[in-house]
């Protein structure tokens, strides 16, 4: 019988890796699930909810994971948790693969197989497992709700006997998963919404949500989307034209939500200090790119900065502020991922290491880092990189603060490993 363990998360993480609903499904599929007592409380799932769903409740994290073949977490856990696990068991979560080299290497050395859900290939088959999408969608929603709560005026137009309240103007920069949800939420609240992106594909999506699309639509714009559906880094000439357009637009906006990201690059700086100074006091910016350096010049990750009456929210982990929904969707992502690796007859774990989903997400196995990009970003500190895939599907998510610069700085960076047959790029079709 396959055993699944769920420990409690750290104090800053209200989400949990499995919900009672997903426990029920896994138990039905033949799994034995053990959840650490109290682990679901911050998502409002009680121990009783878990036992009613068929799980067992353990007194400690070590007890929850000791016999597990698979452990589900939200964040990268402490080393002690991996040490409490069986050698060869799978640890699956958002393991933040491109930061804290030593920490990740130590985790790998316990012999636990590490799977980073952030690296899930963006192919049709993996849509239900895409944690970045499920969590970004909620972040886009929460960004608008937070902005409207902090904004000291109303969002919708109201015509009253005492006079008319004008509708607020909301500008969304970057129309990926988070941006689309931000547009939809701001429209529902009655704001006048405009949006921009460098990918032409989003123009229709913006219009279909009732917002106006604005962008520098030159020849470069027409080529700005990669085959993977992500944005490219734009030329300096384009950036200048874009900055002029944005400067002109931003000064009339009440709320700006920025979500712009480029695969493997720092978040583009789209809003300068001068642009912020052109906005009316009381305006709000929510920068969802804060974790990757921010889209504005004044973003302070983890803080609310204020400049000449304009507040810039650089808050991190917005999905964690909607933990009930975020845990529910995240747990479904994990369950969808593990389901094909459960032998339904023998009711045992049967990971197909040649499957593109396993290959795309596994970062360490048998004590060794097996993803070359992770190894390279770790500055060559991890062993075994030479056999791994130099281009994981989600290179997009490599953060910048702890990336190649750090590797170069310690002078130990290895050249990317050569690709071998067993670690080829996933080939599935992209969908949007
Ligand atoms: P992301 O988080 O990588 O980036 C957010 C947005 O910022 C993107 O739309 C990007 O084009 C935009 N951006 C980058 N640089 C910019 C700039 N200088 N100015 C303005 N905007 C800029 O994006 P995402 O949310 O991961 O989505 C990327 C694409 O992948 C979307 O088309 C989405 O629909 C698609 N997608 C596909 C799947 C799947 O097939 N399984 C799943 C999720 C998303």
């Amino acid at each position: 019988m396959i055993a699944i363990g769920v420990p409690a998360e750290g104090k800053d993480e209200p989400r949990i890796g499995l919900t009672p609903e997903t426990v029920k499904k896994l138990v039905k599929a033949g799994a034995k699930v053990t959840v650490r007592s109290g682990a679901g409380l911050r998502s409002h799932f009680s121990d009783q909810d878990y036992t009613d769903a068929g799980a067992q409740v353990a007194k400690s994290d070590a007890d929850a994971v000791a016999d597990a073949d698979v452990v589900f977490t939200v964040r990268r856990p402490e080393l002690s948790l991996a040490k409490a696990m069986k050698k060869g068991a799978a640890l699956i979560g958002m393991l933040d693969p491109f930061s804290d080299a030593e920490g990740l290497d130590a985790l790998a050395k316990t012999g636990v197989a590490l799977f980073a859900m952030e690296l899930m290939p963006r192919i049709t088959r993996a849509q239900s497992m895409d944690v970045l999408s499920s969590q970004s969608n909620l972040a886009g929603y929460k960004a608008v709700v937070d902005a409207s709560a902090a904004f000291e005026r109303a969002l919708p137009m109201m015509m009253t006997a005492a006079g008319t309240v004008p509708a607020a103007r909301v500008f969304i920069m970057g129309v990926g998963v988070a941006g689309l949800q931000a547009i939809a939420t701001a429209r529902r609240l009655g704001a006048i919404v405009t949006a921009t992106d460098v990918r032409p594909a989003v123009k229709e999506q913006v219009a279909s949500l009732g917002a106006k699309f604005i962008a520098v639509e030159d020849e470069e714009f027409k080529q700005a989307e990669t085959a993977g559906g992500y944005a490219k880094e734009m030329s300096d000439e384009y950036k200048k034209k874009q900055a002029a357009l944005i400067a002109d637009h931003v000064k009339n906006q009440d709320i700006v939500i920025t979500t712009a990201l480029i695969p493997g690059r720092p978040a583009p700086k789209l809003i300068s200090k001068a642009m912020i100074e052109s906005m009316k006091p009381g305006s709000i910016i929510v920068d969802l790119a804060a974790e990757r350096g921010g889209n504005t010049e004044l973003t302070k990750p983890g803080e609310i900065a204020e400049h000449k009456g304009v507040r810039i929210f650089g808050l991190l982990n917005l999905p964690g502020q909607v933990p009930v929904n975020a845990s529910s969707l995240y747990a479904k992502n994990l369950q969808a991922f593990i389901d094909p690796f459960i032998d339904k007859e023998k009711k045992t774990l049967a990971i197909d290491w040649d499957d593109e989903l396993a290959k795309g997400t596994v970062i360490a196995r048998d004590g060794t880092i097996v993803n070359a990009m992770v190894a390279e970003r770790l500055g060559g500190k991890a062993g075994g990189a030479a056999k791994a895939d130099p281009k994981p599907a989600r290179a997009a998510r490599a953060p910048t603060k702890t990336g190649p610069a750090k590797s170069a700085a310690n002078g130990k960076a290895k050249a990317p490993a050569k690709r071998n047959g067993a670690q080829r790029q996933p080939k599935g079709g992209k969908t949007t």
Side-chain angles (χ1 to χ4, degrees), residues 1-256:
M1 178 181 263
I2 174 176
I4 297 174
V6 185
E9 295 292 323
K11 68 172 172 43
D12 295 329
E13 183 50 76
R15 293 171 288 178
I16 179 164
L18 272 190
T19 56
E21 186 191 355
T22 42
V23 166
K24 217 180 258 178
K25 287 186 182 145
L26 287 163
V27 168
K28 206 170 161 197
K32 175 189 157 214
V33 181
T34 309
V35 181
R36 158 78 192 269
S37 174
L41 285 178
R42 284 175 290 170
S43 290
H44 302 294
F45 303 124
S46 67
D47 287 354
Q48 189 65 49
D49 294 333
Y50 283 104
T51 45
D52 289 350
Q56 306 192 359
V57 172
K59 282 205 182 90
S60 67
D61 285 337
D63 287 346
V65 304
D67 297 326
D69 304 301
V70 178
V71 169
F72 286 144
T73 65
V74 177
R75 302 243 174 190
R76 190 197 295 181
E78 299 286 331
L79 181 60
S80 55
L81 188 95
K83 282 185 173 163
M85 288 172 62
K86 289 192 299 195
K87 259 208 173 84
L91 175 62
I92 304 175
M94 292 189 281
L95 300 185
D96 196 10
F98 303 114
S99 67
D100 181 19
E102 284 88 4
L104 198 70
D105 198 26
L107 220 52
K109 286 203 169 92
T110 60
V112 161
L114 304 177
F115 291 86
M117 291 298 284
E118 299 98 317
L119 300 177
M120 188 64 68
R122 274 197 159 166
I123 56 173
T124 307
R125 186 159 72 90
Q127 267 183 323
S128 59
M129 309 163 198
D130 189 340
V131 296
L132 293 176
S133 289
S134 73
Q135 305 301 296
S136 295
N137 175 51
L138 290 167
Y141 158 79
K142 193 68 170 66
V144 174
V145 170
D146 281 359
S148 59
F151 188 52
E152 289 132 332
R153 288 187 273 154
L155 261 67
M157 184 177 86
M158 297 179 205
M159 292 169 87
T160 77
T164 300
V165 173
R169 293 179 183 276
V170 177
F171 182 37
I172 314 292
M173 304 187 73
V175 190
V177 178
L180 281 173
Q181 184 54 253
I183 295 174
T185 306
R187 287 283 300 144
R188 283 185 204 119
L189 289 172
I192 298 169
V193 184
T194 48
T196 189
D197 202 295
V198 289
R199 293 182 299 117
V202 305
K203 194 174 171 177
E204 254 175 56
Q205 297 167 6
V206 169
S208 74
L209 289 170
K212 191 174 166 212
F213 186 69
I214 65 153
V216 176
E217 300 188 39
D218 62 5
E219 280 307 308
E220 188 177 348
F221 171 82
K222 289 177 192 151
Q223 317 291 329
E225 182 159 325
T226 65
Y230 287 108
K232 284 182 188 157
E233 170 98 51
M234 305 305 275
S235 69
D236 286 346
E237 196 195 333
Y238 186 93
K239 282 182 192 162
K240 256 189 215 154
K241 287 193 261 180
Q242 190 189 31
L245 179 82
I246 290 169
D248 198 44
H249 190 66
V250 149
K251 63 178 187 239
N252 297 317
Q253 301 304 309
D254 299 302
I255 293 174
V256 179

Side-chain angles (χ1 to χ4, degrees), residues 323-346:
V324 181
N325 304 117
S327 297
S328 167
L329 299 181
Y330 181 72
K332 282 183 188 159
N333 293 145
L334 294 186
Q335 187 231 331
F337 176 58
I338 203 67
D339 186 69
F341 299 137
I342 298 178
D343 183 321
K344 304 289 179 315
E345 275 175 25
K346 294 185 195 143

Side-chain angles (χ1 to χ4, degrees), residues 273-352:
K273 188 174 165 198
M275 289 181 202
I276 293 171
E277 285 170 356
S278 76
M279 295 175 77
K280 290 185 288 288
S283 302
I284 305 281
I285 299 173
V286 178
D287 190 350
L288 286 182
E291 217 152 319
R292 300 257 305 272
N295 287 144
T296 94
E297 278 181 4
L298 300 182
T299 302
K300 289 188 184 153
E303 289 179 34
I304 302 171
E306 183 156 359
H307 184 70
K308 302 207 167 165
V310 177
R311 274 171 293 166
I312 305 126
F313 287 61
L315 300 181
L316 310 171
N317 195 11
L318 283 191
Q321 292 182 26
V322 203
V324 181
N325 304 117
S327 297
S328 167
L329 299 181
Y330 181 72
K332 282 183 188 159
N333 293 145
L334 294 186
Q335 187 231 331
F337 176 58
I338 203 67
D339 186 69
F341 299 137
I342 298 178
D343 183 321
K344 304 289 179 315
E345 275 175 25
K346 294 185 195 143
K347 307 211 184 304
T348 52
L349 182 66
I351 294 174
D352 175 0

